Amino acid sequence: MAVLDVRRLRYERSGKTQKLREVEQYWTKTKRIEMSMEALIALHAFGSEEARHFAEAWRVATEANDLDTMQRLVRQFGELMRTELQEG
């Protein structure tokens, strides 16, 4: 979901309206909300403390439409997931 949110915001900011429409046509707002809720439920049920901190930082960054922070968080969360899955 985070990658999708970053992509949507990048398309919006760069004026790539056709790309944005294509993404939003496939990933409707309803579908995105459902996926976000499922991800948050799983994160809070099974995620590490660090992963839950990511969710809060992500919420703050998305509310502010802070693309730079969102991109940084996506990279950091990907690294965290890889580490946790390798240790798991």
Side-chain angles (χ1 to χ4, degrees):
M1 282 307 308
V3 172
L4 180 60
D5 286 344
V6 166
R7 185 176 300 156
R8 288 180 58 251
L9 189 53
R10 261 197 343 246
Y11 289 159
E12 182 181 304
R13 291 223 177 133
S14 64
K16 295 183 178 179
T17 55
Q18 180 59 35
K19 288 277 197 185
L20 182 60
R21 265 188 252 125
E22 289 172 10
V23 168
E24 291 183 341
Q25 187 175 31
Y26 184 78
W27 302 101
T28 64
K29 184 173 184 174
T30 300
K31 188 182 282 187
R32 292 192 313 268
I33 290 170
E34 288 173 356
M35 290 170 51
S36 292
M37 294 306 297
E38 289 172 3
L40 282 173
I41 290 167
L43 180 71
H44 285 283
F46 304 108
S48 66
E49 188 66 30
E50 292 87 358
R52 288 190 289 277
H53 286 291
F54 165 82
E56 178 57 22
W58 181 257
R59 183 191 64 75
V60 170
T62 57
E63 285 180 0
N65 282 327
D66 184 346
L67 183 58
D68 291 336
T69 299
M70 290 167 67
Q71 290 174 322
R72 179 179 50 78
L73 288 170
V74 165
R75 286 189 302 274
Q76 289 175 344
F77 190 64
E79 292 170 14
L80 176 63
M81 286 189 309
R82 280 188 292 280
T83 300
E84 288 186 0
L85 290 171
Q86 289 173 353
E87 293 173 357

